[in-house]
Amino acid sequence: MPKTTGRTAALILIFALVTFLIILSSNNYEEPFNYKDLKIKHHNPPNIRKWELQDSYIPVSGNKTLHSKCGSCVLVTSSSHLLNTGLGPTIDQSECIIRMNDAPTTGYEKDVGNKTTFRVVAHSSVYRVLRRPQEFLSRAPGQTLIFWGPPIKMQQNSKANLYHIIQRASSAFPNVSALVLSPRNMARFDELFQAETGRDRKKSHSWLSTGWFTMVIAVELCNKVHVYGMVPPNYCSKRQHKMPYHYYEPRGPDECTTYIQNERGRRGNHHRFITEKLVFARWASVYNISFSHPEWFEDPDN
């Protein structure tokens, strides 16, 4: 009898161990990511322009809300392709001008202009923006800063202090509006990525870029969007020479090296720059988006 009991106990232990390993393997499942294998979904994307703005952006101070709508916007990227273009005056004549992170205008006015309506800032760039108030806050009264990041870092009741740092800076510059994306809106950006690519952002170790957030916000706010400096999805397979990733960092990393390394990355979280551009190419006709410097064509493979 003791021998039978021992065998039963051993079988139960083995069964429990196998079950545990199956569950552990399931929880650690990593969805492989290779943009060449992706089939960007050719369906009608969610109507981003019908997203509710009032509940999507939380004012950091005061009662300011994001309700502005622009007929026409330009999205000025941080790309070195803008250097020596002389686009500054053209950009500054636009109805609404959208910029990203800590891309400066001082010293680059000839090529990128110096006016700003909206600036979309990642949580990782908060300190770089706020430590230069003369560039990003006091020089452009009336602009709106939109901060995005994990809710655990960006909400008022979070343990991280980013929200409170933004709040203090916003109070010091009352002519500048500061808002953060709500947790619901952050989730909606993830859902949009999965709907368009068929990949779960977390399982595929993907981290949405500021370009992704800025493009979606531009579509929300603008009836027409013209993007300056963003390369098409096939650019890195055809480019002839190296280009700095940012126009304001001439000795910084190479643009295509950054794109390709992130696109192929498996461990840790990576931006999927090329995949995002494949999605943007499909959105162009849906949301009235155009691209120049360099030009995009209807078929991203040509």
Side-chain angles (χ1 to χ4, degrees), residues 105-106 109 114 133-141 143:
T105 59
T106 301
E109 295 91 342
N114 62 8
Q134 73 283 359
E135 169 69 33
F136 301 112
L137 300 176
S138 61
R139 290 185 69 249
Q143 74 170 316

Side-chain angles (χ1 to χ4, degrees), residues 119-257:
R119 184 176 289 272
V120 181
V121 182
H123 64 100
S124 56
S125 295
V126 168
Y127 291 106
R128 292 198 297 272
V129 168
L130 298 185
R131 74 185 177 192
R132 296 178 62 190
Q134 73 283 359
E135 169 69 33
F136 301 112
L137 300 176
S138 61
R139 290 185 69 249
Q143 74 170 316
T144 298
L145 272 67
I146 302 173
F147 296 90
W148 70 270
I152 193 172
K153 294 184 177 182
M154 303 297 291
Q155 299 306 305
Q156 188 171 13
N157 59 355
S158 67
K159 293 181 180 179
N161 62 353
L162 283 180
Y163 180 94
H164 301 289
I165 290 173
I166 296 169
Q167 189 175 51
R168 286 196 295 271
S170 178
S171 299
F173 296 91
N175 290 328
V176 176
S177 299
L179 305 103
V180 298
L181 266 69
S182 68
R184 174 67 189 95
N185 210 22
M186 284 293 297
R188 192 155 47 182
F189 278 79
D190 280 0
E191 293 162 6
L192 183 62
F193 180 81
Q194 183 165 354
E196 293 298 318
T197 67
R199 292 290 191 273
D200 180 279
R201 183 190 66 77
K202 293 181 180 178
K203 289 181 179 179
S204 63
H205 291 267
S206 301
W207 185 254
L208 300 178
S209 74
T210 300
W212 176 267
F213 282 90
T214 306
M215 183 68 82
V216 176
I217 290 170
V219 169
E220 283 187 282
L221 299 177
C222 316
N223 296 324
K224 180 180 180 181
V225 181
H226 187 87
V227 184
Y228 286 107
M230 183 179 289
V231 300
N234 64 339
Y235 172 79
C236 290
S237 64
K238 300 181 178 182
R239 63 99 174 252
Q240 300 297 316
H241 54 276
K242 291 187 175 183
M243 297 282 288
Y245 181 51
H246 291 144
Y247 66 77
Y248 51 92
E249 293 180 330
R251 297 181 182 276
D254 172 60
E255 179 180 49
C256 281
T257 300

